[in-house]
Amino acid sequence: MHRAWVIAAVAFVTLIGAAGFRSVPSVLIDPLHHEFGWSRATISAAVSINLLLFGLISPFAAALMDRFGMRRVVSCALVLVAAGSGFTVFMTEAWQLLLCWGFLVGVGTGSMSMAFVATVTSRWFVARRGLVSGVLTAAGATGQLVFLPLVASLAAAHGWRTPSIIVALAALAVVPLVILWLRDHPSDVGTTAYGATEVQAPATATGSSAGRAVRVLADAARTPTFWLLAGGFAICGMSTNGLVGTHFVSAAHDHGMPHTTAAGLLALIGIFDVAGTIFSGWLTDRVDARLLLAGYYTLRGLSLLILPSLFEPHVQPSMWVFVIFYGLDWIATVPPTVALCRDRFGMSGPIVFGWVFASHQVGAALAAVGAGGIRDAHGNYDLAWYLAGGLCLIAALMSASVPRQTLPSDLPSDLPSGRPRVAD
């Protein structure tokens, strides 16, 4: 077995864990509200900070991985997650929730976000990049959802502090796996990237990692491709992590559905997402990524527009149809977006995707706090679902408008120095 598949397996486990750790606060909104009396908007603000940092840290984490290696960055990130989750059991004030679940866990999980996927696939795979991107993306989305029923059950039976402690211990348990098996480049173990014909020495990053991330952003921002991808991905974040991932359980509970049942539906979305995202990766190797994105956003928007009519105290057949359909489309947008960043921006693609993913999380953060405010103001989430559905249709138009590639890569690698060329 090629060593690249071992690296992919370690990344898969890490991404599942990171996503699971980040998803915990969405299940704890009601328990925290009842114990401390904090408003849902206040608790949602912690989720928003988490989502925002999950994206904003991503491009800097990609640059840090170029400078210090994936092993060091991911190991430190897991320790941050453990600290953020563990310290919550001692909190008594709302600002402590913002610090722990918002800042510490946000920075930690942001260092293991989708830019990590782009880095692994760019360094270790030449063939099967789309498929591997789909599998690793599915790990991130599925981990966020599959653990929700367990977290909800633990919180209901033992209180919200128990899942917080378990998350801290689980994050620490992944650290040895990363140290022992994750490697930064194929040349570190004397092999080639999967599908490559010769060993290539990695380029050495010099200078400030933050500076390089900002330079790549400055050059990419001069192209329409970047803004179309970033705008569409911001709407993607609004309509998934920010809205459905954060508020679906509370919205279903408003209609009489038990928390554990609603969390189980989210977990089922995660299961179908595995098939949908892997299939999306397979399609990305064969179909124009712009057309795939346009189709995904259109279908997602239509499904969200009908969701408010599907909530009932008990799960009806129509809700099962939504769960299956929406699950297949949940994070199917990532493989074609990664492919467009890599194809248009060359070796700087992982950092460019980090910035595109940052826009995803900005959108998610706005939706998380905005939907909480809508719920406080109107007593239901209906307006939030309708707004998200309409925005998805706009994202479909933006994706279809991405310019065709004009050169083999718009931004070739700027390592160790120099500015990338732009040809868009």
Side-chain angles (χ1 to χ4, degrees):
M1 182 176 63
H2 195 283
R3 183 61 180 266
W5 297 110
V6 177
I7 302 300
V10 175
F12 184 89
V13 173
T14 303
L15 288 163
I16 283 182
F21 306 150
R22 184 172 52 82
S23 69
V24 171
S26 65
V27 180
L28 304 183
I29 290 177
D30 288 333
L32 291 173
H33 172 72
H34 292 312
E35 177 169 337
F36 295 103
W38 302 331
S39 70
R40 288 178 174 82
T42 298
I43 301 170
S44 297
V47 180
S48 294
I49 293 172
N50 182 303
L51 292 170
L52 187 63
L53 289 174
F54 184 68
L56 292 179
I57 293 298
S58 183
F60 297 99
L64 285 171
M65 288 176 188
D66 281 342
R67 180 74 181 277
F68 300 106
M70 293 187 291
R71 274 198 303 176
R72 293 179 182 178
V73 173
V74 172
S75 297
C76 291
L78 288 166
V79 172
L80 278 179
V81 170
S85 181
F87 287 151
T88 57
V89 302
F90 304 109
M91 69 182 180
T92 57
E93 303 290 340
W95 67 266
Q96 296 164 348
L97 175 68
L98 302 180
L99 174 64
C100 293
W101 276 115
F103 182 76
L104 292 178
V105 175
V107 171
T109 55
S111 300
M112 300 177 285
S113 65
M114 294 299 105
F116 180 38
V117 174
T119 302
V120 169
T121 55
S122 295
R123 292 183 181 181
W124 281 91
F125 290 88
V126 173
R128 303 292 189 269
R129 275 179 173 170
L131 179 62
V132 176
S133 294
V135 172
L136 295 183
T137 300
T142 302
Q144 179 186 352
L145 302 177
V146 169
F147 290 113
L148 289 178
L150 174 61
V151 172
S153 298
L154 288 172
H158 305 289
W160 61 268
R161 290 174 177 82
T162 297
S164 296
I165 294 173
I166 291 176
V167 165
L169 296 175
L172 292 176
V174 179
V175 174
L177 181 67
V178 170
I179 293 175
L180 289 173
W181 293 104
L182 189 63
R183 293 294 182 271
D184 297 312
H185 297 277
S187 59
D188 294 346
V189 289
T191 188
T192 62
Y194 183 78
T197 57
E198 61 182 13
V199 177
Q200 293 184 348
T204 302
T206 60
S208 168
S209 298
R212 182 179 180 234
V214 173
R215 288 196 304 273
V216 170
L217 171 63
D219 285 280
R222 294 202 294 268
T223 70
T225 294
F226 175 80
W227 291 108
L228 291 169
L229 291 176
F233 226 44
I235 294 172
C236 179
M238 289 180 181
S239 57
T240 53
N241 304 74
L243 182 57
V244 176
T246 303
H247 292 284
F248 181 87
V249 173
S250 293
H253 187 63
D254 285 343
H255 291 79
M257 185 179 295
H259 286 102
T260 52
T261 301
L265 290 176
L266 272 182
L268 190 59
I269 287 176
I271 292 173
F272 281 100
D273 169 68
V274 174
T277 308
I278 293 174
F279 183 57
S280 176
W282 182 85
L283 284 176
T284 300
D285 289 329
R286 294 162 174 80
V287 180
D288 188 335
R290 301 173 305 158
L291 300 180
L292 290 178
L293 286 176
Y296 295 154
Y297 285 129
T298 298
L299 295 175
R300 182 186 301 174
L302 295 176
S303 67
L304 288 173
L305 290 173
I306 67 171
L307 178 59
S309 64
L310 305 182
F311 286 116
E312 298 286 347
H314 304 286
V315 182
Q316 302 298 321
S318 55
M319 179 59 82
W320 289 118
V321 173
F322 170 83
V323 166
I324 295 171
F325 183 83
Y326 188 83
L328 292 172
D329 190 70
W330 173 261
I331 306 291
T333 54
V334 174
T337 304
V338 170
L340 286 171
C341 288
R342 183 178 59 246
D343 293 343
R344 301 304 195 269
F345 303 107
M347 292 302 296
S348 293
I351 296 179
V352 174
F353 177 72
W355 285 113
V356 171
F357 184 71
S359 72
H360 181 282
Q361 295 308 113
V362 170
L366 292 173
V369 70
I374 289 173
R375 171 62 176 79
D376 289 339
H378 298 279
N380 60 63
Y381 287 97
D382 289 357
L383 179 60
W385 304 122
Y386 296 139
L387 288 174
L391 287 171
C392 284
L393 299 180
I394 295 175
L397 293 175
M398 297 174 69
S399 300
S401 301
V402 171
R404 291 185 178 275
Q405 186 176 4
T406 57
L407 288 177
S409 63
D410 292 350
L411 296 183
S413 174
D414 60 341
L415 295 176
S417 62
R419 299 181 67 81
R421 292 183 293 111
V422 176
D424 192 39

